[in-house]
Protein backbone atom coordinates (compact mmCIF):
# COMPACT_ATOMS: atom_id res chain seq x y z
CA UNK A 1 0.00 0.00 0.00
CA UNK A 2 1.31 3.43 -0.89
CA UNK A 3 1.97 5.99 1.80
CA UNK A 4 1.23 9.71 1.49
CA UNK A 5 4.99 10.37 1.45
CA UNK A 6 5.21 8.29 -1.73
CA UNK A 7 2.34 10.07 -3.49
CA UNK A 8 2.42 13.70 -2.37
CA UNK A 9 5.86 15.13 -3.26
CA UNK A 10 5.67 17.19 -6.42
CA UNK A 11 1.88 17.03 -6.63
CA UNK A 12 0.34 20.52 -6.98
CA UNK A 13 -2.22 19.95 -4.18
CA UNK A 14 -0.90 17.11 -2.05
CA UNK A 15 2.72 18.30 -2.15
CA UNK A 16 2.30 21.59 -0.27
CA UNK A 17 -0.04 20.02 2.30
CA UNK A 18 2.37 17.11 2.85
CA UNK A 19 5.39 19.36 3.23
CA UNK A 20 3.94 22.20 5.30
CA UNK A 21 0.92 20.94 7.27
CA UNK A 22 0.39 17.20 7.48
CA UNK A 23 1.61 15.89 10.83
CA UNK A 24 2.88 19.21 12.17
CA UNK A 25 1.60 20.12 15.64
CA UNK A 26 -1.44 22.40 15.56
CA UNK A 27 -2.23 24.53 18.62
CA UNK A 28 -4.64 27.10 17.19
CA UNK A 29 -8.30 26.25 17.80
CA UNK A 30 -9.44 27.70 14.48
CA UNK A 31 -6.90 25.59 12.60
CA UNK A 32 -7.90 22.51 14.62
CA UNK A 33 -11.58 23.14 13.86
CA UNK A 34 -10.79 23.59 10.17
CA UNK A 35 -8.87 20.32 10.07
CA UNK A 36 -11.67 18.47 11.86
CA UNK A 37 -14.27 19.79 9.42
CA UNK A 38 -12.09 18.97 6.42
CA UNK A 39 -11.49 15.44 7.70
CA UNK A 40 -15.23 14.96 8.29
CA UNK A 41 -15.93 16.14 4.76
CA UNK A 42 -13.33 13.81 3.30
CA UNK A 43 -15.31 10.75 4.46
CA UNK A 44 -16.22 8.75 1.38
CA UNK A 45 -14.27 11.08 -0.92
CA UNK A 46 -10.66 11.67 -1.86
CA UNK A 47 -8.42 14.03 0.10
CA UNK A 48 -7.65 15.73 -3.22
CA UNK A 49 -11.33 16.69 -3.54
CA UNK A 50 -11.20 18.30 -0.10
CA UNK A 51 -7.94 20.12 -0.76
CA UNK A 52 -9.34 21.56 -3.99
CA UNK A 53 -12.43 22.80 -2.13
CA UNK A 54 -10.55 24.09 0.91
CA UNK A 55 -10.78 27.79 0.02
CA UNK A 56 -14.49 27.41 -0.70
CA UNK A 57 -14.91 25.77 2.72
CA UNK A 58 -13.12 28.71 4.34
CA UNK A 59 -15.45 31.18 2.65
CA UNK A 60 -18.57 29.10 3.33
CA UNK A 61 -17.74 28.57 7.02
CA UNK A 62 -16.65 32.16 7.81
CA UNK A 63 -12.94 31.22 7.90
CA UNK A 64 -13.84 28.53 10.43
CA UNK A 65 -14.77 31.08 13.08
CA UNK A 66 -15.99 28.64 15.71
CA UNK A 67 -18.46 31.00 17.43
CA UNK A 68 -20.00 32.09 14.12
CA UNK A 69 -20.39 28.52 12.89
CA UNK A 70 -21.88 27.40 16.23
CA UNK A 71 -24.51 30.14 15.87
CA UNK A 72 -25.60 29.12 12.36
CA UNK A 73 -29.34 28.76 12.02
CA UNK A 74 -31.57 27.31 9.35
CA UNK A 75 -30.68 30.02 6.83
CA UNK A 76 -26.96 29.29 7.04
CA UNK A 77 -27.62 25.54 6.87
CA UNK A 78 -29.58 25.98 3.64
CA UNK A 79 -26.92 28.33 2.27
CA UNK A 80 -24.26 25.68 2.92
CA UNK A 81 -26.35 22.93 1.35
CA UNK A 82 -26.75 25.10 -1.74
CA UNK A 83 -23.05 26.00 -2.04
CA UNK A 84 -21.60 24.04 -4.98
CA UNK A 85 -18.09 25.00 -3.86
CA UNK A 86 -18.22 22.70 -0.83
CA UNK A 87 -19.41 19.16 -0.15
CA UNK A 88 -23.16 19.46 0.24
CA UNK A 89 -23.96 16.65 2.62
CA UNK A 90 -26.60 17.44 5.24
CA UNK A 91 -25.05 15.16 7.89
CA UNK A 92 -21.61 16.73 7.41
CA UNK A 93 -23.01 20.27 7.52
CA UNK A 94 -24.98 19.47 10.68
CA UNK A 95 -21.88 17.87 12.22
CA UNK A 96 -19.79 20.98 11.50
CA UNK A 97 -22.30 23.26 13.21
CA UNK A 98 -22.86 20.92 16.15
CA UNK A 99 -19.13 20.32 16.61
CA UNK A 100 -18.47 24.07 16.66
CA UNK A 101 -20.83 24.31 19.63
CA UNK A 102 -19.04 21.41 21.31
CA UNK A 103 -15.69 23.16 20.85
CA UNK A 104 -17.10 26.30 22.46
CA UNK A 105 -18.11 24.21 25.49
CA UNK A 106 -14.66 22.57 25.55
CA UNK A 107 -13.09 26.03 25.52
CA UNK A 108 -15.19 27.03 28.51
CA UNK A 109 -14.17 23.89 30.40
CA UNK A 110 -10.51 23.62 29.34
CA UNK A 111 -9.49 27.01 27.97
CA UNK A 112 -9.14 25.78 24.38
CA UNK A 113 -9.79 22.85 22.07
CA UNK A 114 -6.03 22.21 22.07
CA UNK A 115 -6.00 22.12 25.88
CA UNK A 116 -8.83 19.56 25.81
CA UNK A 117 -6.79 17.41 23.43
CA UNK A 118 -3.74 17.83 25.67
CA UNK A 119 -5.80 16.91 28.73
CA UNK A 120 -6.60 13.53 27.16
CA UNK A 121 -3.20 12.84 25.61
CA UNK A 122 -1.78 10.24 25.38
CA UNK A 123 -4.49 7.83 24.31
CA UNK A 124 -4.43 4.96 21.85
CA UNK A 125 -6.24 5.52 18.58
CA UNK A 126 -9.07 3.29 19.82
CA UNK A 127 -9.41 5.35 23.01
CA UNK A 128 -9.38 8.59 21.00
CA UNK A 129 -12.12 7.22 18.74
CA UNK A 130 -14.31 6.37 21.74
CA UNK A 131 -13.74 9.81 23.23
CA UNK A 132 -14.49 11.61 19.95
CA UNK A 133 -17.63 9.54 19.36
CA UNK A 134 -18.90 10.51 22.83
CA UNK A 135 -18.01 14.17 22.25
CA UNK A 136 -18.52 15.01 18.57
CA UNK A 137 -20.69 14.03 15.62
CA UNK A 138 -19.53 12.25 12.47
CA UNK A 139 -16.22 11.10 13.95
CA UNK A 140 -15.49 7.49 13.10
CA UNK A 141 -12.12 5.73 13.32
CA UNK A 142 -10.73 6.98 10.00
CA UNK A 143 -11.75 10.61 10.59
CA UNK A 144 -10.42 10.65 14.15
CA UNK A 145 -7.18 8.90 13.21
CA UNK A 146 -6.46 11.25 10.32
CA UNK A 147 -7.43 14.33 12.33
CA UNK A 148 -5.08 13.38 15.18
CA UNK A 149 -2.26 12.26 12.90
CA UNK A 150 -2.54 15.38 10.76
CA UNK A 151 -2.38 17.66 13.81
CA UNK A 152 0.52 15.95 15.59
CA UNK A 153 -1.36 13.96 18.25
CA UNK A 154 -0.74 10.52 16.72
CA UNK A 155 2.34 9.28 14.86
CA UNK A 156 2.39 7.93 11.33
CA UNK A 157 1.89 10.95 9.10
CA UNK A 158 5.27 10.44 7.42
CA UNK A 159 7.76 7.67 6.80
CA UNK A 160 10.79 7.89 9.09
CA UNK A 161 12.90 8.46 5.94
CA UNK A 162 10.74 11.33 4.69
CA UNK A 163 12.58 14.66 5.01
CA UNK A 164 9.41 16.23 6.45
CA UNK A 165 9.41 13.71 9.31
CA UNK A 166 12.59 15.24 10.81
CA UNK A 167 11.08 18.74 10.62
CA UNK A 168 7.98 17.51 12.44
CA UNK A 169 10.10 15.92 15.17
CA UNK A 170 11.90 19.24 15.61
CA UNK A 171 8.49 20.84 16.30
CA UNK A 172 7.82 18.41 19.15
CA UNK A 173 4.51 16.77 18.27
CA UNK A 174 2.49 15.48 21.23
CA UNK A 175 3.23 11.83 20.42
CA UNK A 176 7.01 12.28 20.29
CA UNK A 177 9.18 11.85 23.35
CA UNK A 178 12.84 12.74 23.05
Amino acid sequence: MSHYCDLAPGHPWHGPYHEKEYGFPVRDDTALFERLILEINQAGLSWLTVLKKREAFRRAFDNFDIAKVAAYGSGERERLLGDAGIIRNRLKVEAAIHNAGVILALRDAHGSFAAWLDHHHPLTKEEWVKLFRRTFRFTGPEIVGEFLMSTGYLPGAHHDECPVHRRILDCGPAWYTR
Side-chain angles (χ1 to χ4, degrees):
M1 183 169 138
S2 293
H3 192 273
Y4 202 50
C5 297
D6 301 327
L7 306 171
H11 189 278
W13 294 92
H14 291 299
Y17 179 74
H18 169 266
E19 292 178 23
K20 296 179 182 159
E21 293 183 70
Y22 189 56
F24 286 90
V26 177
R27 303 296 309 158
D28 177 76
D29 280 1
T30 301
L32 286 166
F33 178 58
E34 174 184 11
R35 197 75 58 87
L36 180 62
I37 298 313
L38 294 179
E39 292 294 348
I40 286 170
N41 277 278
Q42 188 272 328
L45 303 169
S46 74
W47 187 240
L48 181 58
T49 297
V50 173
L51 288 175
K52 286 181 174 182
K53 291 180 174 281
R54 191 175 194 181
E55 287 306 315
F57 270 104
R58 284 183 177 146
R59 285 189 302 275
F61 284 93
D62 288 302
N63 289 311
F64 296 101
D65 182 304
I66 298 165
K68 283 184 181 179
V69 174
Y72 282 0
S74 59
E76 286 90 356
R77 284 172 168 78
E78 292 309 312
R79 174 185 57 79
L80 291 168
L81 291 171
D83 188 336
I86 66 169
I87 295 156
R88 296 175 291 177
N89 176 300
R90 185 170 299 279
L91 293 175
K92 293 176 181 182
V93 166
E94 292 294 334
I97 296 165
H98 173 81
N99 293 344
V102 169
I103 291 170
L104 290 180
L106 295 176
R107 283 177 159 179
D108 288 345
H110 296 274
S112 70
F113 184 21
W116 179 81
L117 291 165
D118 293 343
H119 174 76
H120 292 288
H121 182 76
L123 295 175
T124 65
K125 179 182 174 186
E126 293 75 25
E127 292 167 327
W128 279 115
V129 170
K130 287 178 186 176
L131 176 65
F132 268 68
R133 281 188 164 160
R134 284 192 316 265
T135 310
F136 298 103
R137 286 190 188 159
F138 215 103
T139 51
E142 197 64 30
I143 291 166
V144 172
E146 280 299 320
F147 168 73
L148 294 168
M149 197 166 28
S150 77
T151 57
Y153 283 91
L154 285 177
H158 296 268
H159 286 308
D160 290 349
E161 305 80 35
C162 178
V164 179
H165 182 70
R166 176 82 263 163
R167 291 186 9 242
I168 290 172
L169 294 181
D170 290 344
C171 294
W175 59 267
Y176 180 62
T177 55
R178 295 181 193 257

